Amino acid sequence: MKILVIGGGGREHTLVWKISQSPVVEKIFCAPGNAGTRDLAEPVPIDAEDIQALAEFAEKNEIDLTVVGPEGPLVKGIADAFETKGLAVFGPSKAAAQLEGSKVFSKNHMNKYNIPCARGKAFTDPAKARAYARFIGAPCVVKADGLAAGKGVIICDTLEQADQAIEEMILENRFGDAGATVVVEECLKGEEASFIALTDGKTVLPLPESQDHKRALDNDEGPNTGGMGAYSPAPVLDHMLRTKAMKEVMIPAVQGMAKEGTPFKGVLYAGLMVDKDKIKVLEFNTRLGDPETQPILMRLKNDLVPLMEACCNGTLHQHAVEIDPRAAVCVVVSAGGYPGAYKKGHAISGLDAANEIKDTMVFHAGTTMDGDSVVTSGGRVLGVTSLGDTVQQAIDTAYTACEKISFTGHFYRKDIGAKAVKRLSIPPKVGVIMGSDSDFNVMEKALVILKQFDIPYYVTVASAHRTPDQAARLASQAKEDGVQVLICGAGHAAHLAGVIAAHTTLPVLGVPIDSSALQGLDALLATVQMPPGIPVSTMAIGKSGAHNAGIFAAQIIGLSDPTVAKKLVAFKKDMAAKVQKKAASFA
């Protein structure tokens, strides 16, 4: 196959690197490419948004698949132009790319298909926009409707800042036509994460979750940028929240586009705000993120080309992704002054030394050639990306590589991945053990409660019958690991809770699960009928039992944790208020 990759940033270098590993690929072209892509792909001196010239090149050179990296050409309709000529292209149509190209379109789509997102409205009148900002209150967010190179989102801590952002966008034309319409939104609280999936318009296949770092400086300070680094996996998006993101965000978004007659094919990226057990969409992108692509593709073990072809021809349901269990961290090395004004043409040293470090790739973003020298040509210059058995190991390796690199005025954040390390360092207080992965749909109800009370937990699968030694190890090790309560969910004979209770002095909560012809009564009786000296606190069958197990675990922990105890009081009051509200509706 002959592949054309469109774009010249870090994302595109990573794509070229990954595609070059495919045994089905004979030759790669990259338009326009950068100093890094030239080693793997033939550079094509055509701008990424010159759609006509790119289509003519693809036709003339009999390109088998074109991979569109940046959002600009997608929003302008490059996929439509290529398909008209019978050329295969990986990326959504112009109509589908509106999910990124227009904040108004995206907001309307989310509202129509009940996808959780921030409350907000669109305006072309600055006076009305300012009035709505006052209705929402500060902090709030002002967004340019169109594409603004990742800089059209202004977080406003005060109403004065909101007024300024509105004025700059609508009246002062700061982002050109992209800011002629603005969206004013509530400012969501929580922690951001990136959830990216491949889709053929029907099937949605998630890639590894990641977390970007948008602010220019450490501790999330300084102006917004296109991204100063990223890592994967992101523990803020655990299994429960990834499942939730698929059910509540990705699948409804793709199904909604199909219902609208504009099927979405390619990459769908949801920027999410995570707050305890809740997720809300900050924005949709219609391509791979940059710098998220770097750690994600470092971890993807699949040949990427068949996955992209499947997105084009509607056969994605025949594929699954295989992920390297190791962590990956990308640190972006930027030009001095970025994201403001910066100088170009500085020679870069240390690239070979950095690339020689084990499990490390230096992906080029803003680079070009000056004779035989690699020089800077952009604000985000390099994406130094490393793998490690743990997030901390990946961080250490990436920063060791960064220390090898130098150019005039260069800088990079020193805290990429620190949030993950901090989160992973918190020991779990509750262990949730399931007899089978099919029990997750029930046990998820316990996890929701634990998240609401900010109680750290772990989830795993162990069978009382098939892996009794593993179950015994989990039970005997739990107390030493700081666990205070164990919740066990199982169906059929349901001896899991009893086996766990036999090997620990911790309180064990058993959740019988309906998974047999006896509708859960077998699991209930097996869980209740423990022998003397092996107590198990038995919950109700199914989801209500899992829900109560989460609350019961919180009550046990609350005996020694004042913070959890206080939240329990508020939880009880909230339940009472809801009942009173329902009662009032009958008055």
Side-chain angles (χ1 to χ4, degrees):
M1 290 182 69
K2 289 193 285 187
I3 307 282
L4 169 63
V5 176
I6 295 175
R11 166 183 48 226
E12 288 74 37
H13 185 192
T14 312
L15 282 165
V16 167
W17 168 79
K18 185 66 177 175
I19 291 167
S20 71
Q21 299 167 24
S22 174
V24 303
V25 173
E26 173 190 352
K27 186 174 180 62
I28 307 171
F29 298 90
C30 192
N34 58 40
T37 61
R38 79 190 196 287
D39 293 331
L40 300 169
E42 181 177 319
V44 179
I46 302 175
D47 187 86
E49 297 195 15
D50 190 343
I51 294 174
Q52 183 177 344
L54 289 167
E56 290 173 356
F57 175 87
E59 196 170 33
K60 180 180 178 180
N61 289 273
E62 299 180 330
I63 299 297
D64 297 294
L65 178 66
T66 296
V67 180
V68 185
E71 63 274 18
L74 290 170
V75 171
K76 290 184 175 180
I78 190 169
D80 308 75
F82 271 57
E83 288 176 357
T84 298
K85 290 180 175 288
L87 297 166
V89 59
F90 177 70
S93 66
K94 181 177 183 179
Q98 289 182 91
L99 275 176
E100 178 170 6
S102 170
K103 300 292 192 301
V104 175
F105 177 91
S106 179
K107 179 70 69 178
N108 290 340
H109 188 72
M110 286 188 279
N111 288 336
K112 183 172 182 178
Y113 291 98
N114 298 313
I115 297 169
C117 61
R119 180 177 47 138
K121 289 186 177 181
F123 301 92
T124 55
D125 184 330
K128 291 181 179 178
R130 288 192 293 266
Y132 187 72
R134 276 153 181 74
F135 171 72
I136 290 179
C140 63
V141 181
V142 179
K143 298 180 177 180
D145 173 52
L147 298 180
K151 300 172 186 176
V153 177
I154 311 296
I155 300 172
C156 306
D157 295 322
T158 66
L159 292 175
E160 289 73 23
Q161 290 176 358
D163 290 346
Q164 182 180 351
I166 291 165
E167 184 172 325
E168 287 178 351
M169 289 186 192
I170 297 178
L171 298 179
E172 297 178 11
N173 210 29
R174 177 180 175 184
F175 299 113
D177 292 341
T181 299
V182 301
V183 176
V184 181
E185 291 183 345
E186 64 176 325
C187 187
L188 299 176
K189 65 176 183 176
E191 190 172 337
E192 291 187 39
S194 302
F195 195 76
I196 300 173
L198 302 173
T199 178
D200 60 2
K202 299 169 291 185
T203 300
V204 182
L205 192 62
L207 294 173
E209 75 286 357
S210 59
Q211 187 172 61
D212 187 11
H213 298 63
K214 287 294 186 187
R215 299 281 189 164
L217 307 176
D218 287 4
N219 302 314
D220 290 329
E221 296 178 354
N224 265 342
T225 71
M228 294 297 293
Y231 64 88
S232 175
V236 66
L237 275 180
D238 62 10
H239 180 82
M240 187 196 87
L241 291 176
R242 294 195 299 271
T243 302
K244 195 180 186 76
M246 285 291 286
K247 289 180 179 178
E248 297 185 2
V249 176
M250 309 304 279
I251 292 173
V254 170
Q255 289 179 343
M257 293 299 287
K259 288 178 182 177
E260 297 296 322
T262 53
F264 189 102
K265 296 183 178 183
V267 176
L268 183 61
Y269 167 133
L272 302 175
M273 182 65 82
V274 181
D275 184 22
K276 295 183 173 63
D277 65 312
K278 302 288 193 301
I279 57 171
K280 289 188 177 181
V281 178
L282 292 165
E283 64 177 358
F284 277 125
N285 292 326
T286 59
R287 36 70 190 182
L288 284 163
D290 189 353
E292 294 97 333
T293 302
Q294 288 86 316
I296 287 174
L297 292 191
M298 283 280 279
R299 295 186 65 213
L300 182 68
K301 296 174 77 171
N302 300 65
D303 183 341
L304 182 60
V305 175
L307 291 176
M308 293 189 294
E309 287 186 294
C311 289
C312 296
N313 61 33
T315 59
L316 195 59
H317 63 284
Q318 299 174 6
H319 296 263
V321 296
E322 186 179 358
I323 305 303
D324 191 321
R326 292 178 294 173
V329 172
C330 173
V331 179
V332 172
V333 183
S334 298
Y338 176 79
Y342 55 84
K343 293 183 179 179
K344 302 178 182 180
H346 295 301
I348 305 170
S349 64
L351 290 172
D352 290 340
N355 270 317
E356 287 173 1
I357 293 176
K358 185 181 179 182
D359 294 325
T360 298
M361 277 294 302
V362 179
F363 294 111
H364 291 234
T367 66
T368 190
M369 297 301 297
D370 183 4
D372 294 330
S373 299
V374 179
V375 300
T376 65
S377 64
R380 293 187 296 163
V381 179
L382 303 166
V384 181
T385 309
S386 299
L387 289 164
D389 290 336
T390 65
V391 174
Q392 186 62 62
Q393 287 181 14
I395 290 170
D396 293 343
T397 303
Y399 279 112
T400 298
C402 285
E403 291 171 2
K404 306 287 186 184
I405 295 168
S406 181
F407 55 88
T408 302
H410 80 290
F411 78 99
Y412 49 86
R413 280 182 59 159
K414 309 299 193 298
D415 63 344
I416 304 300
K419 290 178 182 177
V421 173
K422 181 179 179 181
R423 187 176 289 274
L424 291 170
S425 69
I426 301 171
K429 291 185 177 181
V430 176
V432 179
I433 307 171
M434 304 178 294
S436 167
D437 60 349
S438 62
D439 298 334
F440 180 78
N441 187 45
V442 171
M443 299 307 293
E444 181 180 10
K445 297 298 180 181
L447 308 185
V448 167
I449 293 296
L450 295 175
K451 279 191 176 292
Q452 289 177 5
F453 285 100
D454 289 316
I455 297 173
Y457 62 82
Y458 73 79
V459 185
T460 191
V461 175
S463 170
H465 305 97
R466 294 182 290 274
T467 58
D469 291 342
Q470 180 192 5
R473 281 195 302 271
L474 283 169
S476 58
Q477 184 71 25
K479 192 171 185 178
E480 186 179 330
D481 292 340
V483 172
Q484 298 178 28
V485 185
L486 289 163
I487 301 175
C488 302
H492 286 73
H495 291 302
L496 179 62
V499 169
I500 295 295
H503 291 87
T504 184
T505 57
L506 293 174
V508 176
L509 313 183
V511 180
I513 294 176
D514 176 6
S515 60
S516 75
L518 296 177
Q519 298 181 330
L521 289 176
D522 50 347
L524 174 64
L525 292 174
T527 307
V528 168
Q529 294 288 359
M530 289 295 111
I534 312 294
V536 171
S537 182
T538 307
M539 303 290 108
I541 296 171
K543 293 182 178 180
S544 61
H547 179 91
N548 279 344
I551 298 171
F552 200 179
Q555 289 175 331
I556 294 170
I557 292 168
L559 291 172
S560 58
D561 188 327
T563 302
V564 173
K566 186 177 180 180
K567 290 178 180 179
L568 279 164
V569 172
F571 180 79
K572 295 282 187 180
K573 287 182 178 178
D574 184 56
M575 280 198 303
K578 289 177 180 176
V579 173
Q580 290 167 358
K581 184 177 180 180
K582 290 177 181 178
S585 68
F586 289 94

